[in-house]
Amino acid sequence: NGDEAPDVVNRTLSIAVSIESPSDNGVLVAHGGTAHGYALYLKEGWLTFAVRRRGKQSLVVSKDKLPAAPLKVTAVLSKNGEVV
């Protein structure tokens, strides 16, 4: 139900994920659709944060591959669309 999803439009969003098992690929969290949304995922060991605003997608990829699990990763999407 769409009423249960958090409203993140024009708000700062902070995502913290604990990774318990080693994996090089997989979605950690995702929300949204074709106009707006985000996904935090692993692709071949690289942490990737994809953000879609007004239909335009931006990707931010970690500088290094992630070390072996367990570990905790955090991504912050600021109100203006910047990602850390």
Side-chain angles (χ1 to χ4, degrees):
N1 182 339
D3 294 336
E4 296 173 8
D7 180 9
V8 298
V9 176
N10 294 322
R11 297 180 182 190
T12 297
L13 172 69
S14 179
I15 301 169
V17 177
S18 295
I19 301 172
E20 301 297 326
S21 300
S23 177
D24 285 340
N25 295 292
V27 175
L28 302 171
V29 63
H31 172 250
T34 58
H36 299 280
Y38 60 87
L40 182 63
Y41 60 93
L42 294 170
K43 184 173 182 180
E44 298 177 7
W46 300 92
L47 183 64
T48 305
F49 194 38
V51 177
R52 185 174 299 274
R53 294 180 63 161
R54 298 180 187 99
K56 183 180 177 186
Q57 183 178 12
S58 300
L59 294 175
V60 176
V61 180
S62 60
K63 292 180 183 177
D64 299 307
K65 285 189 174 186
L66 292 184
L71 65 131
K72 183 176 180 179
V73 296
T74 303
V76 178
L77 174 60
S78 70
K79 186 176 177 178
N80 67 3
E82 292 182 45
V83 175
V84 177

